[in-house]
Amino acid sequence: MNAELKRLHSPDIYDLENYKPESPANFSFLLQAMIGPVGEDGEESFDIEVCTPKWIEENCAQDVVIIGSHYLIVREYNYKKIIESIRIFLLGCSGEDWGEVARKVSRLGLWEFEGYES
């Protein structure tokens, strides 16, 4: 089984495709990648913080440590490059079942079911 990017969503940005940050070199926003099994219905949310190095620099005081899990660091906002990068990452996310695949995808973004036990 393999993973497929179904769509992108952001609660912070209405139109991701045409978004233009106020400061192109200094921004951050939540991106929700909706991902599911290739060729099947259904998707689950993986939360990614998209930010620039300048945003990290300005928001990381000398005594602060930022743990980089679930961050996508970009030099500038480019919708097509973000999609391409996520799709390339997903090529390495395969497994016997969706749970195994989703755990691999969760290295990219916080899986909505991360830590869930039935």
Side-chain angles (χ1 to χ4, degrees):
M1 178 174 280
N2 297 302
E4 174 181 44
L5 177 63
K6 307 286 184 167
R7 62 188 175 92
L8 294 175
H9 167 76
S10 175
D12 302 327
I13 299 167
Y14 175 73
D15 182 0
L16 285 166
E17 196 165 355
N18 296 304
Y19 174 62
K20 300 223 184 314
E22 284 183 36
S23 176
N26 184 2
F27 64 87
S28 171
F29 67 91
L30 175 62
L31 179 68
Q32 295 174 308
M34 307 307 286
I35 297 169
V38 171
E40 295 182 23
D41 290 338
E43 60 190 24
E44 294 176 5
S45 176
F46 295 82
D47 291 355
I48 307 162
E49 191 69 30
V50 178
C51 63
T52 61
K54 186 164 184 81
W55 180 89
I56 293 172
E57 184 179 306
E58 289 190 7
N59 288 276
C60 185
Q62 287 186 335
D63 62 342
V64 173
V65 174
I66 294 177
I67 296 174
S69 184
H70 307 137
Y71 280 76
L72 183 63
I73 303 165
V74 299
R75 291 260 174 221
E76 63 185 8
Y77 185 77
N78 184 313
Y79 181 74
K80 289 180 181 178
K81 284 185 181 179
I82 289 172
I83 288 176
E84 179 183 345
S85 297
I86 292 171
R87 286 186 173 141
I88 290 169
F89 178 87
L90 294 177
L91 292 174
C93 299
S94 61
E96 292 295 317
D97 58 31
W98 176 246
E100 183 180 346
V101 173
R103 281 188 292 282
K104 291 178 181 178
V105 176
S106 72
R107 293 182 304 223
L108 171 68
L110 178 64
W111 181 26
E112 66 180 296
F113 297 111
E114 197 162 312
Y116 175 77
E117 295 182 31
S118 55

